[in-house]
Amino acid sequence: MPENGNAQFVFEQWHERIARRDGEALSELYAADARFESPLVPRVLDCDRGYLQGRSDIREFLIEITRRRPQGNELPSLYRDGTYFFDGRMLIWEYPRLTPQGSQLDLVEVMELDGSQIRNHRVYWGWYGTEHLLRNAVAKLKVDGATSP
């Protein structure tokens, strides 16, 4: 598959698999020794780091986030305009805050590819998404009765 074909494949398959809430299929896009980084990792897995190493840890995370996604058409962060940037190694696209339907979590996906597999994946959150993370963290502290993060 030509390099741009690999980027197109990952771009389309990532979106299709997350939209259908298939964490197992999402994990198949990653190399066995892939790295994943996101501020969502410590929130979802209740750990003190924001990265995962290896497909099996990434798989666990992806299964959990797809399980937690709201049902129906209330899927945050899934509108994108079909545009991506690829330099032969790095694939980048945005889920913008402002969509035709209103606001969504604003994210930028940055993936380093090795053929059609994701070798390194970083997720950058915008101001709207960051506020969402903070609100959820504070709510969790209140529910858990904790006094410090």
Side-chain angles (χ1 to χ4, degrees), residues 5-6 8 20 25-26 31 35 46 62 84 96 101 117 123 131 135 139:
N6 291 331
Q8 184 73 34
R20 72 173 198 252
L26 271 170
R35 184 174 182 96
D46 197 26
L62 294 172
Y84 65 86
Q101 291 75 38
Q117 288 197 309
V123 183
E131 288 298 315
R135 281 190 305 275

Side-chain angles (χ1 to χ4, degrees), residues 29-82:
L29 295 171
Y30 290 83
D33 62 345
R35 184 174 182 96
F36 178 89
E37 298 181 43
S38 169
L40 196 55
V41 170
R43 301 286 68 85
V44 170
L45 299 180
D46 197 26
C47 62
D48 61 355
R49 67 183 197 286
Y51 67 90
L52 300 167
Q53 188 69 47
R55 184 187 302 132
S56 103
D57 286 348
I58 294 169
R59 177 185 169 277
E60 175 187 345
F61 173 79
L62 294 172
I63 287 171
E64 185 60 23
I65 65 165
T66 54
R67 183 189 69 77
R68 291 184 186 191
R69 287 191 86 84
Q71 295 299 312
N73 292 328
E74 297 297 318
L75 293 175
S77 307
L78 285 182
Y79 170 81
R80 58 186 193 175
D81 68 5

Side-chain angles (χ1 to χ4, degrees), residues 6 9-10 27-34 55 89 111-120:
N6 291 331
F9 172 79
V10 171
S27 71
E28 293 168 2
L29 295 171
Y30 290 83
D33 62 345
R55 184 187 302 132
R89 182 181 64 88
M111 299 175 179
E112 294 174 35
L113 302 185
D114 184 1
S116 61
Q117 288 197 309
I118 302 165
R119 170 81 44 210
N120 201 342

